[in-house]
Amino acid sequence: MRLDKYLADMNAGTRKELKTAIRKGLVTVNGQVIRDAGFHVTGNETISLDGEEIGYQAFEYYMLNKPAGVISATEDRRHRTVLDLLGDRRRRDLFPVGRLDIDTTGLLLITNDGALAHRLLAPKHHVDKVYRAAVTGTVTESDIRAFAEGLRLEDGLTAMPAELRLLEVRQNSAETVSFVEVTIREGKFHQVKRMFEAVGKKVLTLQRISMGPLVLDRSLPEGEARPLTEEEIKALLSLS
Ligand code: URA
């Protein structure tokens, strides 16, 4: 990769600033001043800017409490993305682990650890994801059984068995709404919404509260992110 791009990816500055710094002789690669922004680097070199070593740091892990209205992508022309919410901590190698729909809120892990992301997302690893939802109508025992048995979705595919727990039913003159907790082990597109559609109900709000051992921090306001604690990282990395 080009030297200026590498440094920009490391958040060392804008491409323009970095080109200038390189031209001024402020950048060294393996101890040698390099004045060519197009100089080829692999990332295995020791690269310094103004005497400070810049490198691919150890992996980073953030918990984001995703608000509605932002999309789970690294860039988008029309909408704010979950990475925009990281502010200064944003780096180009960070990405969200899996996707939440634009209107889904709650726990989203953002990292640059591709191997961990793969482990969390690969269907064969069956990592539990727990959601809280408000859905139209009254959730019945037969819905709970249907979820437990594995529902057939509208595309003909079967969802793996899921646990559905009814927390509360609220009724007013206009409508009945059930508040539920759903645990799924896979992450098909719109999975929870489509499972409820399959039993004739519509999801009104959806919030993810956990993913494997990682639980949404209740003190983290919507729209904010914080680095994972050592314990949280350890728990994730010890997933088999
Ligand atoms: N299931 C959905 O339907 N949407 C999400 O965002 C996550 C799970």
Side-chain angles (χ1 to χ4, degrees), residues 99-101 104 131 184 188-194 206:
R99 282 166 183 264
L100 293 177
D101 296 336
T104 300
Y131 292 86
I184 59 173
K188 293 196 169 88
F189 186 59
H190 296 331
Q191 171 130 7
V192 174
K193 292 174 185 166
R194 289 160 70 213
L206 187 61

Side-chain angles (χ1 to χ4, degrees), residues 17-109:
E17 288 163 357
L18 293 164
K19 279 197 173 117
T20 309
I22 293 167
R23 217 178 309 119
K24 283 188 180 160
L26 295 175
V27 174
T28 59
V29 176
N30 291 336
Q32 270 201 310
V33 173
I34 301 293
R35 291 175 191 270
D36 172 13
F39 185 82
H40 184 261
V41 293
T42 63
N44 291 323
E45 304 84 351
T46 303
I47 300 176
S48 299
L49 168 62
D50 222 356
E52 196 184 319
E53 192 173 324
I54 310 283
Y56 275 110
Q57 286 168 26
F59 292 130
E60 294 196 3
Y61 306 90
Y62 294 99
M63 173 188 296
L64 170 71
N65 187 355
K66 180 188 171 300
V70 297
I71 64 161
S72 303
T74 51
E75 47 188 27
D76 190 82
R77 283 189 187 178
R78 287 190 303 138
H79 295 100
R80 276 201 309 160
T81 72
V82 290
L83 286 190
D84 293 332
L85 299 175
L86 286 184
D88 289 349
R89 295 168 295 188
R90 183 182 183 141
R91 286 170 37 158
R92 297 206 189 169
D93 54 348
L94 290 169
F95 58 87
V97 177
R99 282 166 183 264
L100 293 177
D101 296 336
I102 189 162
D103 55 351
T104 300
T105 61
L107 177 67
L108 191 65
L109 172 64

Side-chain angles (χ1 to χ4, degrees), residues 120-238:
L120 286 168
L121 296 176
K124 67 173 182 184
H125 290 304
H126 298 175
V127 173
D128 281 356
K129 289 136 207 138
V130 183
Y131 292 86
R132 289 264 167 95
V135 303
T136 54
T138 305
V139 164
T140 63
E141 278 303 317
S142 121
D143 295 336
I144 292 173
R145 243 178 288 124
F147 271 59
E149 281 163 11
L151 280 166
R152 255 177 96 77
L153 302 177
E154 88 292 343
D155 58 5
L157 294 176
T158 304
M160 282 167 60
E163 193 187 326
L164 174 56
R165 277 203 317 133
L166 179 58
L167 304 175
E168 193 191 344
V169 179
R170 272 187 223 160
Q171 219 157 354
N172 62 32
S173 51
E175 59 174 4
T176 304
V177 176
S178 297
F179 294 85
V180 296
E181 198 169 281
V182 193
T183 306
I184 59 173
R185 299 197 169 90
E186 55 189 339
K188 293 196 169 88
F189 186 59
H190 296 331
Q191 171 130 7
V192 174
K193 292 174 185 166
R194 289 160 70 213
M195 289 175 85
F196 278 103
E197 264 163 37
V199 295
K201 295 183 169 67
K202 185 169 159 33
V203 170
L204 301 171
T205 62
L206 187 61
Q207 178 197 33
R208 182 155 66 191
I209 58 170
S210 73
M211 185 175 198
L214 192 61
V215 179
L216 178 65
D217 182 342
R218 299 284 158 165
S219 67
L220 187 64
E222 262 187 28
E224 290 194 15
R226 68 151 172 81
L228 293 194
T229 64
E230 286 297 319
E231 269 144 51
E232 287 167 335
I233 295 171
K234 233 183 256 165
L236 282 176
L237 297 182
S238 62

